[in-house]
Amino acid sequence: MDFPEKVLLIDDDDEEHFIFKAALNECCKSTILIYEKSAQSALARMANGEPGAVPDLIILDWRMPLLSGKEVLTRIRKLPDYSRVPIVIFSGVFDPAHLEEAKDLGATFFLQKPFDLKELYRKMELLFSLDWRNTASSGRQL
């Protein structure tokens, strides 16, 4: 499998960070997980444009305080270095209208929040078995 070297997780829930870290440690120990608890800090990090700071994949919570996942996705896609980075929208509940909207804004994959670590691990394995770098295949639900 082709694992990303760096994954950026943007999620306001520390528990989700712990679960993703554990899942990535199971499936791809060499992947570095960068965690941003707020959309504002994540966008500031991206706007700084530090060399080598662009992750291979972004996992973005759709429901966050202050800035919604929709707003964050829109802003990320406007950043030249991030326009083609695959973005996985991560949410507990997906309304079909939200799925279509996120797809139109450039979301690559949709991942419904699982209830346990094993389920997330399986979904991460599925994601990394796909052509996850190909943003042209946007909108696939996992």
Side-chain angles (χ1 to χ4, degrees):
M1 258 185 265
D2 184 20
F3 300 118
E5 291 180 27
K6 288 184 284 188
V7 172
L8 171 61
L9 172 63
I10 306 170
D11 194 317
D12 59 305
D13 187 344
D14 287 328
E15 188 174 323
E16 302 296 347
H17 171 232
F18 171 77
I19 291 170
F20 263 101
K21 188 172 186 171
L24 286 172
N25 281 337
E26 283 294 315
C27 75
C28 40
K29 292 178 181 3
S30 64
T31 298
I32 298 167
L33 180 65
I34 304 160
Y35 175 55
E36 288 291 346
K37 188 172 180 162
S38 80
Q40 295 85 341
S41 64
L43 290 168
R45 171 193 287 262
M46 290 181 231
N48 286 340
E50 298 171 23
V54 177
D56 299 305
L57 181 77
I58 297 172
I59 299 172
L60 172 62
D61 186 8
W62 191 247
R63 294 179 154 182
M64 291 188 296
L66 303 178
L67 286 177
S68 69
K70 173 185 174 181
E71 180 64 28
V72 177
L73 176 59
T74 301
R75 290 184 187 190
I76 290 172
R77 287 299 184 219
K78 289 180 181 176
L79 296 168
D81 290 342
Y82 290 82
S83 64
R84 303 215 20 98
V85 173
I87 298 177
V88 178
I89 299 298
F90 185 59
S91 184
V93 178
F94 279 119
D95 176 310
H98 290 155
L99 288 172
E100 194 59 36
E101 184 175 36
K103 180 180 175 182
D104 290 344
L105 293 171
T108 314
F109 297 101
F110 301 102
L111 179 63
Q112 189 155 2
K113 288 187 179 183
F115 296 103
D116 64 38
L117 182 60
K118 286 182 181 179
E119 184 180 349
L120 179 60
Y121 172 69
R122 283 191 305 271
K123 287 185 177 189
M124 296 303 287
E125 279 189 321
L126 172 61
L127 173 64
F128 298 144
S129 72
L130 302 171
D131 184 9
W132 56 268
R133 287 189 171 113
N134 186 0
T135 57
S137 63
S138 65
R140 181 166 179 179
Q141 192 165 356
L142 302 173

